[in-house]
PDB file of all heavy atoms in Angstrom:
ATOM      1  N   ALA Z 997      34.047 157.180 129.322  1.00  0.00           N
ATOM      2  CA  ALA Z 997      34.217 157.317 127.769  1.00  0.00           C
ATOM      3  C   ALA Z 997      32.945 157.936 127.172  1.00  0.00           C
ATOM      4  O   ALA Z 997      33.112 158.745 126.216  1.00  0.00           O
ATOM      5  CB  ALA Z 997      34.622 155.990 127.219  1.00  0.00           C
ATOM      6  N   LEU Z 998      31.811 157.436 127.618  1.00  0.00           N
ATOM      7  CA  LEU Z 998      30.574 157.945 127.134  1.00  0.00           C
ATOM      8  C   LEU Z 998      30.406 159.529 127.483  1.00  0.00           C
ATOM      9  O   LEU Z 998      29.987 160.273 126.685  1.00  0.00           O
ATOM     10  CB  LEU Z 998      29.419 157.238 127.650  1.00  0.00           C
ATOM     11  CG  LEU Z 998      29.070 155.836 127.199  1.00  0.00           C
ATOM     12  CD1 LEU Z 998      27.831 155.329 127.821  1.00  0.00           C
ATOM     13  CD2 LEU Z 998      28.905 155.907 125.648  1.00  0.00           C
ATOM     14  N   ALA Z 999      30.899 159.784 128.686  1.00  0.00           N
ATOM     15  CA  ALA Z 999      30.699 161.190 129.090  1.00  0.00           C
ATOM     16  C   ALA Z 999      31.539 162.117 128.338  1.00  0.00           C
ATOM     17  O   ALA Z 999      31.150 163.277 128.078  1.00  0.00           O
ATOM     18  CB  ALA Z 999      30.988 161.399 130.590  1.00  0.00           C
ATOM     19  N   ARG Z1000      32.610 161.798 127.762  1.00  0.00           N
ATOM     20  CA  ARG Z1000      33.536 162.550 126.969  1.00  0.00           C
ATOM     21  C   ARG Z1000      32.832 163.018 125.722  1.00  0.00           C
ATOM     22  O   ARG Z1000      33.155 164.004 125.112  1.00  0.00           O
ATOM     23  CB  ARG Z1000      34.865 161.913 126.816  1.00  0.00           C
ATOM     24  CG  ARG Z1000      35.746 161.851 128.001  1.00  0.00           C
ATOM     25  CD  ARG Z1000      37.138 161.470 127.676  1.00  0.00           C
ATOM     26  NE  ARG Z1000      37.267 160.050 127.294  1.00  0.00           N
ATOM     27  CZ  ARG Z1000      37.542 159.085 128.247  1.00  0.00           C
ATOM     28  NH1 ARG Z1000      37.607 159.417 129.555  1.00  0.00           N
ATOM     29  NH2 ARG Z1000      37.632 157.831 127.785  1.00  0.00           N
ATOM     30  N   SER Z1001      31.958 162.175 125.221  1.00  0.00           N
ATOM     31  CA  SER Z1001      31.277 162.419 123.938  1.00  0.00           C
ATOM     32  C   SER Z1001      29.807 162.939 124.118  1.00  0.00           C
ATOM     33  O   SER Z1001      29.347 163.693 123.259  1.00  0.00           O
ATOM     34  CB  SER Z1001      31.254 161.170 122.967  1.00  0.00           C
ATOM     35  OG  SER Z1001      30.552 160.068 123.551  1.00  0.00           O
ATOM     36  N   ASN Z1002      29.267 162.602 125.305  1.00  0.00           N
ATOM     37  CA  ASN Z1002      27.875 162.921 125.511  1.00  0.00           C
ATOM     38  C   ASN Z1002      27.657 163.000 126.947  1.00  0.00           C
ATOM     39  O   ASN Z1002      27.312 162.032 127.603  1.00  0.00           O
ATOM     40  CB  ASN Z1002      26.956 161.916 124.827  1.00  0.00           C
ATOM     41  CG  ASN Z1002      25.420 162.287 125.047  1.00  0.00           C
ATOM     42  OD1 ASN Z1002      25.116 163.337 125.555  1.00  0.00           O
ATOM     43  ND2 ASN Z1002      24.577 161.542 124.668  1.00  0.00           N
ATOM     44  N   GLN Z1003      27.580 164.193 127.536  1.00  0.00           N
ATOM     45  CA  GLN Z1003      27.571 164.445 128.990  1.00  0.00           C
ATOM     46  C   GLN Z1003      26.146 163.889 129.448  1.00  0.00           C
ATOM     47  O   GLN Z1003      25.934 163.529 130.553  1.00  0.00           O
ATOM     48  CB  GLN Z1003      27.736 165.802 129.406  1.00  0.00           C
ATOM     49  CG  GLN Z1003      29.122 166.215 129.412  1.00  0.00           C
ATOM     50  CD  GLN Z1003      29.981 165.747 130.689  1.00  0.00           C
ATOM     51  OE1 GLN Z1003      29.313 165.249 131.609  1.00  0.00           O
ATOM     52  NE2 GLN Z1003      31.243 165.953 130.642  1.00  0.00           N
ATOM     53  N   LYS Z1004      25.135 164.038 128.645  1.00  0.00           N
ATOM     54  CA  LYS Z1004      23.685 163.644 129.067  1.00  0.00           C
ATOM     55  C   LYS Z1004      23.324 162.239 128.619  1.00  0.00           C
ATOM     56  O   LYS Z1004      22.072 162.023 128.477  1.00  0.00           O
ATOM     57  CB  LYS Z1004      22.869 164.758 128.428  1.00  0.00           C
ATOM     58  CG  LYS Z1004      23.111 166.059 128.956  1.00  0.00           C
ATOM     59  CD  LYS Z1004      22.117 167.157 128.350  1.00  0.00           C
ATOM     60  CE  LYS Z1004      22.399 168.556 128.897  1.00  0.00           C
ATOM     61  NZ  LYS Z1004      21.510 169.597 128.270  1.00  0.00           N
ATOM     62  N   ASN Z1005      24.266 161.403 128.519  1.00  0.00           N
ATOM     63  CA  ASN Z1005      23.824 160.023 127.990  1.00  0.00           C
ATOM     64  C   ASN Z1005      22.971 159.332 129.050  1.00  0.00           C
ATOM     65  O   ASN Z1005      23.090 159.630 130.273  1.00  0.00           O
ATOM     66  CB  ASN Z1005      25.128 159.173 127.640  1.00  0.00           C
ATOM     67  CG  ASN Z1005      25.845 158.843 128.957  1.00  0.00           C
ATOM     68  OD1 ASN Z1005      25.563 157.926 129.701  1.00  0.00           O
ATOM     69  ND2 ASN Z1005      26.893 159.612 129.216  1.00  0.00           N
ATOM     70  N   GLU Z1006      22.113 158.447 128.580  1.00  0.00           N
ATOM     71  CA  GLU Z1006      21.181 157.763 129.606  1.00  0.00           C
ATOM     72  C   GLU Z1006      21.800 156.831 130.590  1.00  0.00           C
ATOM     73  O   GLU Z1006      21.087 156.433 131.368  1.00  0.00           O
ATOM     74  CB  GLU Z1006      20.128 157.134 128.663  1.00  0.00           C
ATOM     75  CG  GLU Z1006      20.595 155.984 127.791  1.00  0.00           C
ATOM     76  CD  GLU Z1006      19.501 155.216 127.110  1.00  0.00           C
ATOM     77  OE1 GLU Z1006      18.655 154.562 127.735  1.00  0.00           O
ATOM     78  OE2 GLU Z1006      19.572 155.407 125.870  1.00  0.00           O
ATOM     79  N   TYR Z1007      23.058 156.482 130.422  1.00  0.00           N
ATOM     80  CA  TYR Z1007      23.679 155.529 131.332  1.00  0.00           C
ATOM     81  C   TYR Z1007      24.522 156.183 132.453  1.00  0.00           C
ATOM     82  O   TYR Z1007      25.015 155.514 133.214  1.00  0.00           O
ATOM     83  CB  TYR Z1007      24.506 154.544 130.438  1.00  0.00           C
ATOM     84  CG  TYR Z1007      23.715 153.820 129.396  1.00  0.00           C
ATOM     85  CD1 TYR Z1007      23.794 154.410 128.007  1.00  0.00           C
ATOM     86  CD2 TYR Z1007      23.019 152.890 129.716  1.00  0.00           C
ATOM     87  CE1 TYR Z1007      23.120 153.776 127.019  1.00  0.00           C
ATOM     88  CE2 TYR Z1007      22.211 152.236 128.573  1.00  0.00           C
ATOM     89  CZ  TYR Z1007      22.336 152.653 127.329  1.00  0.00           C
ATOM     90  OH  TYR Z1007      21.646 152.062 126.291  1.00  0.00           O
ATOM     91  N   LYS Z1008      24.474 157.516 132.369  1.00  0.00           N
ATOM     92  CA  LYS Z1008      25.501 158.229 133.343  1.00  0.00           C
ATOM     93  C   LYS Z1008      25.125 157.943 134.796  1.00  0.00           C
ATOM     94  O   LYS Z1008      26.049 157.944 135.703  1.00  0.00           O
ATOM     95  CB  LYS Z1008      25.433 159.696 133.094  1.00  0.00           C
ATOM     96  CG  LYS Z1008      24.212 160.357 133.332  1.00  0.00           C
ATOM     97  CD  LYS Z1008      24.290 161.977 132.857  1.00  0.00           C
ATOM     98  CE  LYS Z1008      22.956 162.638 132.928  1.00  0.00           C
ATOM     99  NZ  LYS Z1008      22.447 162.743 134.381  1.00  0.00           N
ATOM    100  N   ASP Z1009      23.890 157.623 135.180  1.00  0.00           N
ATOM    101  CA  ASP Z1009      23.470 157.407 136.538  1.00  0.00           C
ATOM    102  C   ASP Z1009      23.228 155.917 136.796  1.00  0.00           C
ATOM    103  O   ASP Z1009      22.786 155.569 137.946  1.00  0.00           O
ATOM    104  CB  ASP Z1009      22.258 158.238 136.906  1.00  0.00           C
ATOM    105  CG  ASP Z1009      22.442 159.641 136.843  1.00  0.00           C
ATOM    106  OD1 ASP Z1009      23.516 160.131 137.235  1.00  0.00           O
ATOM    107  OD2 ASP Z1009      21.489 160.456 136.351  1.00  0.00           O
ATOM    108  N   LYS Z1010      23.593 155.031 135.850  1.00  0.00           N
ATOM    109  CA  LYS Z1010      23.241 153.647 136.028  1.00  0.00           C
ATOM    110  C   LYS Z1010      24.531 153.009 136.846  1.00  0.00           C
ATOM    111  O   LYS Z1010      25.615 153.120 136.333  1.00  0.00           O
ATOM    112  CB  LYS Z1010      23.169 153.069 134.713  1.00  0.00           C
ATOM    113  CG  LYS Z1010      22.369 151.626 134.681  1.00  0.00           C
ATOM    114  CD  LYS Z1010      22.298 151.138 133.198  1.00  0.00           C
ATOM    115  CE  LYS Z1010      21.365 149.898 133.237  1.00  0.00           C
ATOM    116  NZ  LYS Z1010      19.992 150.156 133.452  1.00  0.00           N
ATOM    117  N   SER Z1011      24.243 152.379 137.897  1.00  0.00           N
ATOM    118  CA  SER Z1011      25.283 151.900 138.791  1.00  0.00           C
ATOM    119  C   SER Z1011      25.610 150.398 138.386  1.00  0.00           C
ATOM    120  O   SER Z1011      24.833 149.809 137.565  1.00  0.00           O
ATOM    121  CB  SER Z1011      24.928 151.831 140.299  1.00  0.00           C
ATOM    122  OG  SER Z1011      23.785 150.915 140.451  1.00  0.00           O
TER     123      SER Z1011
END
Side-chain angles (χ1 to χ4, degrees):
L998 286 181
R1000 286 193 288 271
S1001 59
N1002 180 11
Q1003 283 283 350
K1004 297 181 180 181
N1005 70 83
E1006 61 178 293
Y1007 303 99
K1008 61 185 178 63
D1009 297 323
K1010 201 176 187 72
S1011 69

